[in-house]
Amino acid sequence: MRDGSKHYVGGAWVEPLEPAVLEVVNPATEETFANVVLGGPKDVNRAVEAARRAFPDYAERTKEERLALLNRVIAEYEARADDIAHTISREMGAPITLATTAQAPMGLIQLKNTVAVLEELEPRRRRGASILLKEPIGVCGFITPWNWPMNQILCKVAPALAAGCTMVLKPSERTPLSALILADAIDAAGVPAGVFNLVNGDGDGVGEPLARHLDVDMISITGSTRAGIAVARAAAATVKRVTQELGGKSANIILPDADLEDAVTHGVQKCFGNAGQSCTSPRRMFVTRAQHDEALEIAARVAASTTLGDPANPETTMGPVANQVQFDRVQSLIQTGIDEGAVLVCGGVGRPDGLDTGFFVKPTVFGGVRNDMTIAREEIFGPVLAVIPYEDEHDAIDMANDSRYGLSGCVYSGSLDHAIAVASKLRTGQVHLNGASADFTAPFGGYKQSGNGREWGPEGLDEFLETKALMGVPS
């Protein structure tokens, strides 16, 4: 685990100019296990200046040079993957099995997929009497969250490196140490000085100054819709490109021709994965009114099979939520569900039996939920499922779309064609059919207040490129 007292700027570890010490708390024990030093606007200015100085040279690097660089980063990341996984587990409470099989590997997936996309990139092509050029957008600012730290950092950093951009990263102050290990890997890979810079800090001290900085050409944030709005406002005065991957309240439509046992089981597991702290979690499960009671019985059995406890124990399947703020918010929303008349099938307020320390939340299932209830409207970043009965297929689609969010979704059916037909009517950026896992070669992003722009795949790389047309070049 790396010392958190310095930032990485201009190819070197440097002392913060506006230091403020923050304790890093293990959410399973509520104990401080490390300190990190946050920066401020002066630290942002220094990092942006380093990125701006490095941009002209790095932008001229050939595709082959950037591919070689990314492959060196991959090798250095692989050498640190175990350290990254254990650090993430302590920072945000992911069970060690999840951290080693998903949290850390997802960063590696982003790197490798970016290499594949870059290999296929055509930076120069002809259209009519013009030559079209794809060029790096410039200096990028990245604001990333704590729930999937390596995935969310590297789905920005990797394509930016591939495109020829330079960057300043503000990782979440909740998970700063894993980001510092990544910076070590990038340094060891020989990324040129100033191309990648890391400044630890909070939203007010570092995020907002980074978003409004005149010399930042693009800002990309993954976080809450509230944070995305604040970043967009800060960025507006400089008319920079803004991409946002924000909140979600994903719908899971289980059609009557689906295998109910399999669909509900998988849907509950997806909702509770990572302690419910994934923006794509299918938090609203729609079942026919005739199947509602049976679905609740299945969901309760699945919830009861969850093994909560010490994230360091390989047998644990669900750890705590990441911090006190999350715990308090989830508890409040569970109580709101009860107060508004939803049927508490299992779980509820308070810590699970035998877990008096740590930010542990009972796996909670509500039945008889109306789509206008708070627990069906608000994003609950915790293991809380709302089961909503519907009358017919059109009713399910209408309720699924009746949300200010549109990030992800699920459809289950005994017929793939039927599932596709329903999925095509959902106003959301991606839909998982019959339990399909994430496809990291496909674009990822949302409709409505779930954000704009896309990550992953060719579309993710394209966000970091400008298109220039050279006209008057006859063939």
Side-chain angles (χ1 to χ4, degrees):
M1 190 176 301
R2 205 188 194 288
D3 167 44
S5 65
K6 295 183 179 181
H7 299 165
Y8 185 75
V9 177
W13 292 99
V14 299
E15 299 282 350
L17 298 172
E18 299 181 87
V21 175
L22 177 73
E23 295 180 338
V24 183
V25 175
N26 183 329
T29 65
E30 301 184 49
E31 295 177 349
T32 298
F33 71 95
N35 291 319
V36 66
V37 179
L38 307 183
K42 291 180 182 178
D43 297 285
V44 172
N45 289 340
R46 179 172 63 179
V48 172
E49 288 169 6
R52 179 57 64 190
R53 286 194 303 270
F55 177 68
D57 177 71
Y58 188 64
E60 293 297 319
R61 299 291 177 102
T62 66
K63 183 169 84 169
E64 289 69 29
E65 288 175 313
R66 283 177 268 135
L67 283 167
L69 180 62
L70 282 166
N71 281 311
R72 294 199 301 273
V73 174
I74 287 170
E76 296 295 340
Y77 186 97
E78 288 177 321
R80 294 163 175 79
D82 189 63
D83 191 12
I84 289 170
H86 281 81
T87 300
I88 289 173
S89 183
R90 293 187 73 186
E91 287 180 316
M92 56 78 64
I96 191 60
T97 303
L98 178 69
T100 55
T101 62
Q103 285 277 4
M106 283 177 70
L108 193 59
I109 288 170
Q110 295 294 350
L111 285 163
K112 290 183 175 180
N113 282 352
T114 298
V115 166
V117 171
L118 180 56
E119 287 174 338
E120 299 298 317
L121 177 68
E122 295 182 31
R124 181 187 179 101
R125 57 193 175 90
R126 174 177 289 278
R127 181 186 298 167
S130 298
I131 293 174
L132 304 184
L133 304 179
K134 290 288 189 179
E135 299 179 341
I137 193 169
V139 175
C140 302
F142 299 144
I143 300 171
T144 59
W146 47 261
N147 59 324
W148 288 93
M150 286 300 102
N151 178 68
Q152 305 292 31
I153 289 173
L154 283 164
C155 68
K156 302 178 193 301
V157 168
L161 289 172
C165 297
T166 60
M167 66 211 72
V168 178
L169 167 66
K170 187 208 87 66
S172 170
E173 63 272 30
R174 304 288 186 182
T175 51
L177 300 174
S178 54
L180 293 173
I181 300 171
L182 174 63
D184 266 332
I186 287 173
D187 181 72
V191 172
V195 170
F196 171 86
N197 305 274
L198 184 152
V199 177
N200 274 315
D202 59 20
D204 291 338
V206 172
E208 195 270 343
L210 185 61
R212 61 176 164 80
H213 204 290
L214 181 63
D215 283 332
V216 171
D217 302 294
M218 172 186 178
I219 192 81
S220 177
I221 177 174
T222 300
S224 67
T225 297
R226 176 190 55 78
I229 292 169
V231 164
R233 284 175 174 159
T238 51
V239 200
K240 56 174 58 73
R241 183 176 298 176
V242 178
T243 63
Q244 304 161 309
E245 194 267 281
L246 308 176
K249 191 70 176 177
S250 298
N252 178 6
I253 298 178
I254 299 177
L255 296 168
D257 60 353
D259 183 316
L260 188 67
E261 180 83 29
D262 286 349
V264 173
T265 298
H266 193 256
V268 174
Q269 291 170 343
K270 284 179 70 69
C271 179
F272 288 175
N274 202 38
Q277 298 170 122
S278 298
C279 50
T280 58
S281 293
R283 310 178 202 281
R284 294 182 295 155
M285 178 181 288
F286 293 94
V287 296
T288 64
R289 193 169 298 280
Q291 294 177 313
H292 175 261
D293 291 348
E294 184 180 357
L296 296 183
E297 293 175 3
I298 298 167
R301 289 201 304 270
V302 178
S305 70
T306 305
T307 303
L308 288 94
D310 181 2
N313 184 344
E315 301 301 316
T316 296
T317 61
M318 184 187 294
V321 296
N323 53 70
Q324 181 78 59
V325 172
Q326 283 301 117
F327 179 82
D328 291 343
R329 174 170 168 77
V330 173
Q331 295 296 313
S332 175
L333 285 165
I334 291 173
Q335 185 60 56
T336 297
I338 295 170
D339 294 343
E340 291 185 355
V343 178
L344 181 64
V345 178
C346 60
V349 295
R351 288 177 169 84
D353 292 341
L355 293 171
D356 298 326
T357 301
F359 306 126
F360 292 92
V361 175
K362 297 175 185 177
T364 297
V365 176
F366 282 103
V369 178
R370 299 190 316 273
N371 205 45
D372 62 353
M373 287 181 173
T374 301
I375 58 171
R377 311 301 294 177
E378 297 296 322
E379 182 176 34
I380 306 175
F381 230 53
V384 180
L385 174 67
V387 181
I388 304 172
Y390 67 87
E391 302 299 334
D392 57 31
E393 189 172 296
H394 298 293
D395 185 35
I397 293 168
D398 287 346
M399 286 195 291
N401 287 333
D402 182 18
S403 170
R404 68 176 184 271
Y405 298 113
L407 185 59
S408 187
C410 303
V411 176
Y412 290 84
S413 171
S415 161
L416 181 59
D417 287 342
H418 191 188
I420 292 171
V422 171
S424 67
K425 297 175 183 177
L426 299 182
R427 298 286 296 168
T428 187
Q430 59 177 213
V431 184
H432 299 258
L433 305 178
N434 291 330
S437 56
D439 180 356
F440 292 97
T441 68
F444 176 74
Y447 288 23
K448 300 183 279 187
Q449 290 188 28
S450 286
N452 56 70
R454 292 296 181 266
E455 296 179 327
W456 309 358
E459 293 82 0
L461 178 58
D462 201 50
E463 296 287 353
F464 295 92
L465 297 168
E466 293 281 22
T467 302
K468 179 185 287 180
L470 306 180
M471 294 170 281
V473 187
S475 57

